[in-house]
Amino acid sequence: KQEVTQIPAALSVPEGENLVLNCSFTDSAIYNLQWFRQDPGKGLTSLLLIQSSQREQTSGRLNASLDKSSGRSTLYIAASQPGDSATYLCAVTNSGYALNFGKGTSLLVTP
Amino acid sequence: GAGVSQSPSNKVTEKGKDVELRCDPISGHTALYWYRQSLGQGLEFLIYFQGNSAPDKSGLPSDRFSAERTGGSVSTLTIQRTQQEDSAVYLCASSFEGLSTDTQYFGPGTRLTVL
């Protein structure tokens, strides 16, 4: 069974810092890996989707990398802002549709 | 355009009662998914619908859970004889074709509390 782990569980940084969130998974036979953001009381917003054949994806201040063979992904957030405060979830799929989620990293960016 | 909508946003029920949760996917999306987010358990996949194909029900936790998708659009998740461990946020998502390259768009969820 696929297990997805996210480290750290919580992170607090001052505004302006660059930061890295980590995700690991046990079964490397994935179709893709996605990073989501969840704000309190709201649904999930997709940030980046990396196909299994890709190594990284970038969107604005976000960069996600994928090392499929080692079962690892990182989400890099540059020049963090208070508006980045949220829970970040990593998810992989072995079926092509059903997502297996980690438990998330709760990020707080302080002004 | 409109995103995925879910109703009700909150539902409080007594143990043993049946509940129905509704999901309206993004117009034109053929794939629809239900997930459950429990405290301490994280998000778990429940069921997947794609067009007219038979749904993948492999994530449903018990036979008290069932889901339908009528006319290839709206979906209803039904929980019979609710138990306290069913308390969770139930999230619905949709995607264009259900391919691995498709982004899943999530609704705001229904928070279910079973007393």
Side-chain angles (χ1 to χ4, degrees):
Chain A
K1 179 186 174 186
Q2 178 73 271
E3 300 282 346
V4 181
T5 303
Q6 291 188 245
I7 296 173
L11 181 63
S12 180
V13 300
E15 180 178 7
E17 275 203 6
N18 303 323
L19 59 100
V20 174
L21 307 181
N22 296 290
C23 172
S24 62
F25 47 95
T26 54
D27 183 350
S28 62
I30 62 170
Y31 281 81
N32 65 45
L33 181 144
Q34 297 185 53
W35 283 94
F36 292 87
R37 167 184 175 141
Q38 185 172 33
D39 293 280
K42 297 186 178 180
L44 278 65
T45 301
S46 179
L47 298 173
L48 292 164
L49 186 156
I50 311 176
Q51 297 298 328
S52 62
S53 59
Q54 297 175 324
R55 298 284 296 189
E56 67 176 347
Q57 284 286 339
T58 297
S59 176
R61 295 182 293 107
L62 305 179
N63 175 277
S65 67
L66 173 63
D67 184 342
K68 184 180 165 185
S69 60
S70 68
R72 295 181 182 179
S73 175
T74 61
L75 178 66
Y76 175 83
I77 302 177
S80 59
Q81 302 171 358
D84 294 331
S85 299
T87 296
Y88 290 80
L89 295 159
C90 168
V92 298
T93 177
N94 294 93
S95 66
Y97 50 85
L99 294 173
N100 288 287
F101 285 86
K103 293 189 177 181
T105 293
S106 178
L107 173 65
L108 176 64
V109 182
T110 57
Chain B
V4 177
S5 61
Q6 294 186 244
S7 62
S9 55
N10 281 284
K11 177 72 175 178
V12 180
T13 190
E14 294 179 349
K15 178 181 173 181
K17 296 288 181 70
D18 298 350
V19 295
E20 285 189 354
L21 311 179
R22 177 188 168 105
C23 172
D24 284 86
I26 293 173
S27 178
H29 280 191
T30 62
L32 186 146
Y33 319 73
W34 283 97
Y35 293 88
R36 177 170 72 173
Q37 188 170 30
S38 306
L39 195 63
Q41 295 293 322
L43 269 149
E44 56 180 335
F45 165 77
L46 296 178
I47 188 169
Y48 164 71
F49 294 91
Q50 169 51 39
N52 296 320
S53 301
D56 178 350
K57 304 179 181 180
S58 60
L60 295 179
S62 79
D63 58 8
R64 297 185 295 104
F65 288 71
S66 63
E68 291 185 342
R69 189 177 186 194
T70 54
S73 180
V74 172
S75 177
T76 302
L77 178 68
T78 301
I79 309 173
Q80 295 179 310
R81 304 180 303 281
T82 52
Q83 304 295 312
Q84 288 182 334
E85 60 262 30
D86 299 334
S87 296
V89 176
Y90 289 82
L91 292 163
C92 175
S94 71
S95 69
F96 184 54
E97 291 183 326
L99 302 176
S100 65
T101 52
D102 291 344
T103 295
Q104 294 185 25
Y105 296 88
F106 282 77
T110 293
R111 180 174 297 277
L112 175 66
T113 303
V114 182
L115 302 177

